[in-house]
Amino acid sequence: MKLNIAVLGGDGIGPEITTQAVNVLSAVGKKFNHTFNFTSALVGASAIKENGNPLPNNTLELCQASDAVLFGAIGDPEFDNNPDAKVRPEQGLLKLRKSLGLFANIRPLTTFEPLLHKSPIKERIIKNTDFVIYRELTGGIYFGDKNVSEDGKSASDNCVYNDFEVDRIAHLAFKAAKSRRKKLTLVDKANVLETSRLWRKRVKEIAKAYPDVQLNFLFVDNAAMQIIVNPRQFDVILTENMFGDILSDEASVISGSIGLLASASIGENSVLFEPIHGSFPKAKGKNTANPLAAILSAAMLLEHFNLHEEADAIKNAVEKSIELNITTKDINATQKFARTSDVGEFIADYIIDKKSVLNHIENINLGQSTII
Ligand code: IPM
Ligand code: MG
């Protein structure tokens, strides 16, 4: 297969983790005989610094002309600490999502057996957790009218949803539930918000087309608690933009690190793959950030194009890196934590030639024990 992939590293640790995802995809291309062409472009704070625009036209055009977008992270403390800033890095990502029509953001909650004890939640509660969040991505309070009064003393963000915006993601979520454990939970605040009542109405209606999927409802405050006290009850969570943003960060605690969670954003004509985490500015350029969320986002990209064997090769290599403790310091508290590039290199090499990589590691270990 031939794929043209736009690479938008963005800000903070974005470029360094995305580089590892690109290396891993290149390894997959080599191993399985695919041609992946990568073209990079600026977005976010780095684009603002270059030409004042968080989403330059050439970046958007590149994304529109590509088969898929691989995205890093966005955000910079210079802007976070300045509420008066007129242009913000995040506008680049939001405009990109809107312009590409990426209405569904799919965030699987991944757990790895050897990391269960890293979670602040008890192992017996999170063991075998397996759910996926379908987050609406181009509507709601993120995109409604925003206003600040002239005297600067009041502000508003409008939350709007249209029926068709609910329907299209609901269908995707029901289809996903149908192929999984057949349970869909709509998370909303229907006891308070009109938009939530619209969601309930539409989702109840759509449920009729999926009689084998069990539909239930949770208010978002309760859902926030249930994710921590009983995460195994969930299969597919469907929710609006803002609730999905918050709940997915919360859910990442189950996996042991937010650096492990990948996502796919799906639209009519475009697809984008990105970690759920932010730009982690403090770690920028230090080669210490966890590249696994970016690498697992690359696996989701392959799955989207039905390259399942290839995606599994990435996932197996990721599991092996975790098993062998070739992991960054967020999940490896020992002195021997690996650097961002070590993790990426191991995974790429393992995909190309498992045996020789494992032999090599064994030799290093043997060598070390002889020296000692
Ligand atoms: C995410 C991020 C973004 C969001 C930010 C960077 C605008 O938190 O993708 O979850 O809020 O959607
Ligand atoms: Mg977020």
Side-chain angles (χ1 to χ4, degrees), residues 112-329:
F112 297 95
E113 196 70 28
L115 294 181
L116 289 178
H117 68 282
K118 303 273 177 202
S119 171
I121 309 174
K122 290 190 181 73
E123 203 170 326
R124 67 177 161 78
I125 290 178
I126 57 178
K127 204 171 162 59
N128 299 324
T129 296
D130 174 15
F131 63 83
V132 53
I133 299 177
Y134 273 66
R135 168 189 175 194
E136 200 290 327
L137 203 61
T138 50
I141 199 164
Y142 273 64
F143 291 94
D145 285 344
K146 297 177 186 305
N147 278 304
V148 184
S149 66
E150 251 171 47
D151 63 5
K153 288 190 178 174
S154 71
S156 64
D157 297 279
N158 203 9
C159 182
V160 184
Y161 268 109
N162 294 295
D163 54 0
F164 72 91
E165 293 175 302
V166 178
D167 294 5
R168 58 189 179 184
I169 186 170
H171 279 295
L172 287 186
F174 273 108
K175 280 182 195 141
K178 219 176 142 173
S179 69
R180 293 172 50 99
R181 298 196 311 280
K182 303 188 172 39
K183 186 175 173 193
L184 190 144
T185 306
L186 175 67
V187 171
D188 63 22
K189 190 73 185 172
N191 50 347
V192 178
L193 302 177
E194 283 302 340
T195 43
S196 287
R197 289 192 275 270
L198 176 71
W199 272 81
R200 273 200 192 200
K201 232 161 87 187
R202 292 308 313 156
V203 169
K204 272 188 179 169
E205 189 59 36
I206 288 164
K208 293 178 186 159
Y210 304 89
D212 49 342
V213 176
Q214 180 206 333
L215 169 65
N216 54 326
F217 305 96
L218 270 187
F219 294 141
V220 62
D221 44 354
N222 187 12
M225 180 178 71
Q226 295 295 330
I227 283 176
I228 301 300
V229 296
N230 182 12
R232 270 196 298 268
Q233 69 184 284
F234 297 111
D235 180 19
V236 175
I237 292 177
L238 169 63
T239 192
E240 60 98 75
N241 202 345
M242 175 83 131
F243 297 160
D245 177 46
I246 298 168
L247 293 181
S248 54
D249 267 33
E250 186 199 6
S252 77
V253 168
I254 296 169
S255 76
S257 169
I258 196 170
L260 295 167
L261 294 207
S263 86
S265 300
I266 309 290
E268 295 293 338
N269 300 310
S270 299
V271 283
L272 177 149
F273 301 85
E274 60 168 324
I276 80 151
H277 62 67
S279 60
F280 194 11
K282 279 192 192 136
K284 178 182 174 169
K286 293 196 175 143
N287 204 14
T288 55
N290 194 338
L292 292 185
I295 291 171
L296 290 168
S297 298
M300 289 187 87
L301 182 156
L302 296 174
E303 258 156 21
H304 176 80
F305 291 100
N306 282 322
L307 301 175
H308 299 293
E309 199 189 331
E310 292 81 342
D312 285 347
I314 296 186
K315 288 196 247 173
N316 291 339
V318 166
E319 274 166 24
K320 198 71 188 175
S321 75
I322 290 173
E323 191 188 302
L324 293 173
N325 250 334
I326 305 173
T327 42
T328 45
K329 59 183 180 184

Side-chain angles (χ1 to χ4, degrees), residues 356-372:
S356 83
V357 176
L358 295 180
N359 272 340
H360 181 67
I361 289 177
E362 227 167 69
N363 288 340
I364 293 176
N365 289 343
L366 273 180
Q368 278 175 350
S369 55
T370 334
I371 294 165
I372 290 162

Side-chain angles (χ1 to χ4, degrees), residues 8-11 41-61 63 71 73-76 79 85-97 99:
L8 275 52
D11 305 325
L42 289 177
V43 69
S46 41
I48 296 175
K49 280 171 196 159
E50 190 91 347
N51 66 8
N53 183 353
L55 182 65
N57 286 342
N58 65 327
T59 300
L60 179 58
E61 281 161 18
C63 294
F71 194 93
I74 213 155
D76 187 298
F79 297 89
K86 290 277 173 287
V87 189
R88 318 188 67 84
E90 289 78 4
Q91 291 164 344
L93 177 57
L94 298 182
K95 191 170 167 211
L96 184 64
R97 288 173 177 169
S99 311

